[in-house]
Amino acid sequence: MHSPHNTSPTGLTQRIRSAAPADAVTAGFLAVLIGITSSVAIVVTAAQAAGATGAQITSWMFALGIGMGVTCAGLSLRYRAPVVTAWSTPGAALLATGLHGVPMPQAVGAFLLSAVLVIVSGATGWFERVMDRIPVPLASALLAGVLVQFGTGLFTKMQQDFAVVFPMFAVYLVCKRWLPRYAVIGALAAGAAVSAFRGEWRLQGLHVALAEPVFVRPEFSWQVLVGVGLPLYVVTMASQNLPGVAVLRGAGYRTPVSPLLTWTGIVNAVLAPFGCFGLNLAAITAAICTGPDAHRDPRRRYLASVWAGVFYVTVGLFGGVVGWLLTAMPTALVMGIAGLGLLGTIGSSLTAALADERMREAAVVTFLATASGITLAGIGSTFWGLLAGVLAMFVLGGRRRGRPAAPEKRPAGEERQTDGQPRSAQEPLPEAAPR
């Protein structure tokens, strides 16, 4: 006998709202919007450097979209945590300069090597052991340093395109005061309307068609493997996976890292012949799905990354159409909504980074070095920022005197959470962690 709750319109509406809350769907959409528009041009440039045809470029978008969608939705549902994946933007930048003159089959061989090394990193557990030793203040400072460029970019773009960005900012503040759940989507709607009225959308060249994957049989050249495959792996781990784990840890989620790396590596390897050059844990877009704007309940924020997965799959299936739409959007609109969507996360990250006075200086060093954007030996500022912070922590004695006392209060057997739930849902958060 069927329950009336399951068949009534009211019951159906409640189930839809439970699976697709407006704030989670909005956060997932913004994560995909910002993730794609901010770096799709770099991906296309990388493909062109390897001599990709138009069909192969579309195949790259297909493989990357499907890969990100499957890992976002699958891992988030498995661990009930907002696990967001992305393509390796620093990796794409590396490929854009390193693939000139490299045949596509040998490029695919380099993609496979990088993916296999990521799998090994996850299977052995060494990366997770390293990340678990990083204190929360440094992880939070790292995240704040990564995101600060988007916060300042909001006001830089406001100066350059005041007519579009200021109305977005004004609508955001008004909605934040009276309709906080719709602040970001309201700002996006305002920016889209103003920019469309001013004729700033680039709407030429639409071609509606499903993306078709193009298989490329891999070939292995030791020169390409060493010159492209190994650097791609190093850049992906240091500049993408490291801050990606910091986002989860800073938001209070004790999701096991090793399986996340293993599965992203496996999916990357399977899709590499179709153009999936690098999958990794996201940082900037993950911050959108782990923040309070994604859902008031931290235990339900995984729905935001599930919906991000749905949107990523759509990007993959309609690679040409979605790519056209996203590139048609005005830059001011994209940068404006990115800055507004990350304001809350930047604030909570800075609060967590500076909460412990004994580690405050090391956290500031991490934040400034990361925000500087320095690149040494082809490795981005996220790695060097964390290294500088750890060095400052050891020299200043913060590690010895500044360890949080909260872990000593936990009952035996609960020292590490491995079910993916945020610590806020299972135990009191230490003072240094954002709520």
mmCIF file of all heavy atoms in Angstrom, residues 5 19 31 45 48 80 116 140 142 159 193 195 202-203 210 220 288 292-293 313 350 358 367 388 420 435:
data_model
loop_
_atom_site.group_PDB
_atom_site.id
_atom_site.type_symbol
_atom_site.label_atom_id
_atom_site.label_comp_id
_atom_site.label_asym_id
_atom_site.label_seq_id
_atom_site.Cartn_x
_atom_site.Cartn_y
_atom_site.Cartn_z
ATOM 1 N N HIS A 5 2.008 10.195 1.420
ATOM 2 C CA HIS A 5 3.107 11.181 1.386
ATOM 3 C C HIS A 5 3.925 11.051 0.103
ATOM 4 O O HIS A 5 4.448 12.034 -0.414
ATOM 5 C CB HIS A 5 3.994 10.967 2.609
ATOM 6 C CG HIS A 5 5.227 11.830 2.613
ATOM 7 N ND1 HIS A 5 5.186 13.163 2.911
ATOM 8 C CD2 HIS A 5 6.520 11.533 2.324
ATOM 9 C CE1 HIS A 5 6.405 13.668 2.821
ATOM 10 N NE2 HIS A 5 7.235 12.687 2.470
ATOM 11 N N ALA A 19 15.875 17.314 -2.553
ATOM 12 C CA ALA A 19 16.948 16.905 -3.464
ATOM 13 C C ALA A 19 17.545 18.079 -4.219
ATOM 14 O O ALA A 19 18.704 18.005 -4.649
ATOM 15 C CB ALA A 19 16.425 15.874 -4.454
ATOM 16 N N ALA A 31 29.541 27.241 -9.371
ATOM 17 C CA ALA A 31 30.832 26.548 -9.392
ATOM 18 C C ALA A 31 31.221 26.177 -10.826
ATOM 19 O O ALA A 31 32.364 26.373 -11.245
ATOM 20 C CB ALA A 31 30.783 25.304 -8.505
ATOM 21 N N THR A 45 43.597 26.527 -25.907
ATOM 22 C CA THR A 45 44.963 26.832 -26.358
ATOM 23 C C THR A 45 45.864 25.614 -26.219
ATOM 24 O O THR A 45 46.694 25.334 -27.102
ATOM 25 C CB THR A 45 45.538 28.000 -25.546
ATOM 26 O OG1 THR A 45 44.681 29.143 -25.691
ATOM 27 C CG2 THR A 45 46.929 28.360 -26.021
ATOM 28 N N GLN A 48 45.060 23.182 -29.005
ATOM 29 C CA GLN A 48 45.577 23.670 -30.274
ATOM 30 C C GLN A 48 47.097 23.513 -30.358
ATOM 31 O O GLN A 48 47.652 23.275 -31.432
ATOM 32 C CB GLN A 48 45.181 25.132 -30.469
ATOM 33 C CG GLN A 48 43.693 25.328 -30.700
ATOM 34 C CD GLN A 48 43.291 26.788 -30.723
ATOM 35 O OE1 GLN A 48 43.994 27.645 -30.190
ATOM 36 N NE2 GLN A 48 42.154 27.084 -31.346
ATOM 37 N N ARG A 80 29.099 11.861 1.240
ATOM 38 C CA ARG A 80 28.190 12.858 1.807
ATOM 39 C C ARG A 80 28.948 14.124 2.213
ATOM 40 O O ARG A 80 28.757 14.698 3.298
ATOM 41 C CB ARG A 80 27.438 12.286 3.014
ATOM 42 C CG ARG A 80 26.409 11.218 2.648
ATOM 43 C CD ARG A 80 25.302 11.810 1.761
ATOM 44 N NE ARG A 80 24.158 10.938 1.599
ATOM 45 C CZ ARG A 80 24.022 10.039 0.628
ATOM 46 N NH1 ARG A 80 24.995 9.895 -0.261
ATOM 47 N NH2 ARG A 80 22.944 9.306 0.530
ATOM 48 N N VAL A 116 48.204 7.962 -13.906
ATOM 49 C CA VAL A 116 48.687 6.789 -13.167
ATOM 50 C C VAL A 116 49.440 7.218 -11.906
ATOM 51 O O VAL A 116 49.292 6.617 -10.835
ATOM 52 C CB VAL A 116 49.583 5.923 -14.076
ATOM 53 C CG1 VAL A 116 50.313 4.860 -13.260
ATOM 54 C CG2 VAL A 116 48.742 5.260 -15.159
ATOM 55 N N SER A 140 43.582 27.237 6.198
ATOM 56 C CA SER A 140 42.629 28.324 5.971
ATOM 57 C C SER A 140 43.303 29.531 5.339
ATOM 58 O O SER A 140 42.732 30.200 4.471
ATOM 59 C CB SER A 140 41.972 28.721 7.301
ATOM 60 O OG SER A 140 41.261 27.632 7.856
ATOM 61 N N LEU A 142 45.916 29.416 3.407
ATOM 62 C CA LEU A 142 46.163 29.023 2.020
ATOM 63 C C LEU A 142 44.928 29.273 1.165
ATOM 64 O O LEU A 142 45.006 29.840 0.073
ATOM 65 C CB LEU A 142 46.557 27.555 1.975
ATOM 66 C CG LEU A 142 46.807 26.955 0.590
ATOM 67 C CD1 LEU A 142 48.139 27.445 0.042
ATOM 68 C CD2 LEU A 142 46.804 25.432 0.649
ATOM 69 N N GLN A 159 35.479 49.067 -11.133
ATOM 70 C CA GLN A 159 36.081 50.286 -11.650
ATOM 71 C C GLN A 159 36.052 50.307 -13.177
ATOM 72 O O GLN A 159 35.784 51.334 -13.791
ATOM 73 C CB GLN A 159 37.516 50.413 -11.153
ATOM 74 C CG GLN A 159 38.230 51.660 -11.670
ATOM 75 C CD GLN A 159 39.687 51.699 -11.239
ATOM 76 O OE1 GLN A 159 40.223 50.722 -10.744
ATOM 77 N NE2 GLN A 159 40.331 52.848 -11.441
ATOM 78 N N ALA A 193 21.003 40.934 -16.785
ATOM 79 C CA ALA A 193 20.037 41.846 -17.387
ATOM 80 C C ALA A 193 20.709 43.132 -17.870
ATOM 81 O O ALA A 193 20.464 43.597 -18.990
ATOM 82 C CB ALA A 193 18.938 42.169 -16.367
ATOM 83 N N SER A 195 23.954 43.691 -18.526
ATOM 84 C CA SER A 195 24.902 43.455 -19.620
ATOM 85 C C SER A 195 24.183 43.122 -20.926
ATOM 86 O O SER A 195 24.635 43.508 -22.012
ATOM 87 C CB SER A 195 25.875 42.334 -19.246
ATOM 88 O OG SER A 195 25.180 41.134 -18.940
ATOM 89 N N ARG A 202 28.300 38.124 -26.436
ATOM 90 C CA ARG A 202 28.818 37.773 -27.773
ATOM 91 C C ARG A 202 28.071 36.527 -28.266
ATOM 92 O O ARG A 202 28.449 35.397 -27.966
ATOM 93 C CB ARG A 202 30.326 37.511 -27.676
ATOM 94 C CG ARG A 202 31.098 38.703 -27.126
ATOM 95 C CD ARG A 202 32.587 38.392 -26.967
ATOM 96 N NE ARG A 202 32.837 37.428 -25.913
ATOM 97 C CZ ARG A 202 32.974 37.737 -24.628
ATOM 98 N NH1 ARG A 202 32.858 39.012 -24.246
ATOM 99 N NH2 ARG A 202 33.215 36.817 -23.726
ATOM 100 N N LEU A 203 27.007 36.757 -29.019
ATOM 101 C CA LEU A 203 26.062 35.684 -29.339
ATOM 102 C C LEU A 203 26.192 35.146 -30.759
ATOM 103 O O LEU A 203 25.280 34.485 -31.251
ATOM 104 C CB LEU A 203 24.626 36.197 -29.112
ATOM 105 C CG LEU A 203 24.311 36.662 -27.681
ATOM 106 C CD1 LEU A 203 22.887 37.207 -27.600
ATOM 107 C CD2 LEU A 203 24.503 35.525 -26.685
ATOM 108 N N LEU A 210 25.170 17.622 -30.177
ATOM 109 C CA LEU A 210 25.796 16.845 -29.113
ATOM 110 C C LEU A 210 27.275 16.668 -29.422
ATOM 111 O O LEU A 210 27.670 16.517 -30.576
ATOM 112 C CB LEU A 210 25.134 15.473 -28.980
ATOM 113 C CG LEU A 210 23.746 15.434 -28.353
ATOM 114 C CD1 LEU A 210 23.152 14.034 -28.488
ATOM 115 C CD2 LEU A 210 23.802 15.840 -26.879
ATOM 116 N N PHE A 220 53.895 6.411 -26.509
ATOM 117 C CA PHE A 220 54.747 6.793 -25.389
ATOM 118 C C PHE A 220 56.149 7.122 -25.881
ATOM 119 O O PHE A 220 56.821 6.300 -26.497
ATOM 120 C CB PHE A 220 54.791 5.674 -24.350
ATOM 121 C CG PHE A 220 53.441 5.341 -23.785
ATOM 122 C CD1 PHE A 220 52.697 4.283 -24.302
ATOM 123 C CD2 PHE A 220 52.893 6.097 -22.764
ATOM 124 C CE1 PHE A 220 51.445 3.977 -23.793
ATOM 125 C CE2 PHE A 220 51.644 5.805 -22.247
ATOM 126 C CZ PHE A 220 50.910 4.745 -22.765
ATOM 127 N N ILE A 288 32.931 27.480 -3.135
ATOM 128 C CA ILE A 288 31.539 27.904 -3.310
ATOM 129 C C ILE A 288 30.584 26.861 -2.731
ATOM 130 O O ILE A 288 29.576 27.191 -2.114
ATOM 131 C CB ILE A 288 31.244 28.137 -4.797
ATOM 132 C CG1 ILE A 288 32.114 29.278 -5.337
ATOM 133 C CG2 ILE A 288 29.766 28.435 -5.037
ATOM 134 C CD1 ILE A 288 32.010 29.471 -6.833
ATOM 135 N N PRO A 292 28.711 28.563 3.561
ATOM 136 C CA PRO A 292 27.342 28.629 4.108
ATOM 137 C C PRO A 292 26.279 28.981 3.078
ATOM 138 O O PRO A 292 25.107 28.647 3.270
ATOM 139 C CB PRO A 292 27.453 29.707 5.198
ATOM 140 C CG PRO A 292 28.673 30.507 4.830
ATOM 141 C CD PRO A 292 29.604 29.545 4.185
ATOM 142 N N ASP A 293 26.654 29.640 1.994
ATOM 143 C CA ASP A 293 25.667 29.987 0.971
ATOM 144 C C ASP A 293 25.196 28.772 0.181
ATOM 145 O O ASP A 293 24.168 28.826 -0.505
ATOM 146 C CB ASP A 293 26.248 31.017 -0.001
ATOM 147 C CG ASP A 293 26.395 32.399 0.636
ATOM 148 O OD1 ASP A 293 25.691 32.654 1.638
ATOM 149 O OD2 ASP A 293 27.214 33.194 0.156
ATOM 150 N N VAL A 313 28.214 17.371 -16.415
ATOM 151 C CA VAL A 313 27.830 16.377 -17.412
ATOM 152 C C VAL A 313 27.133 17.049 -18.589
ATOM 153 O O VAL A 313 27.366 16.699 -19.757
ATOM 154 C CB VAL A 313 26.931 15.299 -16.788
ATOM 155 C CG1 VAL A 313 26.309 14.414 -17.863
ATOM 156 C CG2 VAL A 313 27.734 14.432 -15.809
ATOM 157 N N LEU A 350 39.704 33.727 6.569
ATOM 158 C CA LEU A 350 40.574 34.651 7.300
ATOM 159 C C LEU A 350 40.329 34.559 8.805
ATOM 160 O O LEU A 350 41.271 34.618 9.610
ATOM 161 C CB LEU A 350 40.338 36.080 6.809
ATOM 162 C CG LEU A 350 40.881 36.405 5.416
ATOM 163 C CD1 LEU A 350 40.443 37.798 4.975
ATOM 164 C CD2 LEU A 350 42.402 36.307 5.392
ATOM 165 N N ARG A 358 48.930 32.187 18.501
ATOM 166 C CA ARG A 358 50.273 31.604 18.477
ATOM 167 C C ARG A 358 50.694 31.181 17.065
ATOM 168 O O ARG A 358 51.875 30.991 16.813
ATOM 169 C CB ARG A 358 50.326 30.413 19.435
ATOM 170 C CG ARG A 358 50.215 30.811 20.903
ATOM 171 C CD ARG A 358 49.903 29.617 21.772
ATOM 172 N NE ARG A 358 48.578 29.066 21.476
ATOM 173 C CZ ARG A 358 48.014 28.086 22.177
ATOM 174 N NH1 ARG A 358 48.661 27.539 23.196
ATOM 175 N NH2 ARG A 358 46.816 27.645 21.861
ATOM 176 N N PHE A 367 49.280 33.218 3.865
ATOM 177 C CA PHE A 367 48.301 34.004 3.103
ATOM 178 C C PHE A 367 48.979 34.928 2.099
ATOM 179 O O PHE A 367 48.629 34.953 0.908
ATOM 180 C CB PHE A 367 47.444 34.817 4.073
ATOM 181 C CG PHE A 367 46.590 35.863 3.399
ATOM 182 C CD1 PHE A 367 45.462 35.492 2.672
ATOM 183 C CD2 PHE A 367 46.915 37.212 3.484
ATOM 184 C CE1 PHE A 367 44.678 36.455 2.038
ATOM 185 C CE2 PHE A 367 46.141 38.168 2.861
ATOM 186 C CZ PHE A 367 45.018 37.794 2.140
ATOM 187 N N ALA A 388 56.233 28.215 2.799
ATOM 188 C CA ALA A 388 56.684 29.368 3.584
ATOM 189 C C ALA A 388 56.004 29.405 4.946
ATOM 190 O O ALA A 388 56.641 29.709 5.968
ATOM 191 C CB ALA A 388 56.400 30.663 2.815
ATOM 192 N N GLY A 420 33.395 11.186 5.813
ATOM 193 C CA GLY A 420 33.132 12.316 4.932
ATOM 194 C C GLY A 420 32.254 13.382 5.531
ATOM 195 O O GLY A 420 32.065 14.414 4.936
ATOM 196 N N ARG A 435 32.898 28.052 10.969
ATOM 197 C CA ARG A 435 31.603 27.421 11.212
ATOM 198 C C ARG A 435 30.666 27.711 10.062
ATOM 199 O O ARG A 435 30.779 28.683 9.408
ATOM 200 C CB ARG A 435 30.989 27.923 12.517
ATOM 201 C CG ARG A 435 31.697 27.325 13.717
ATOM 202 C CD ARG A 435 31.250 28.004 14.992
ATOM 203 N NE ARG A 435 31.657 27.243 16.165
ATOM 204 C CZ ARG A 435 32.863 27.206 16.654
ATOM 205 N NH1 ARG A 435 33.820 27.866 16.064
ATOM 206 N NH2 ARG A 435 33.161 26.492 17.730
#
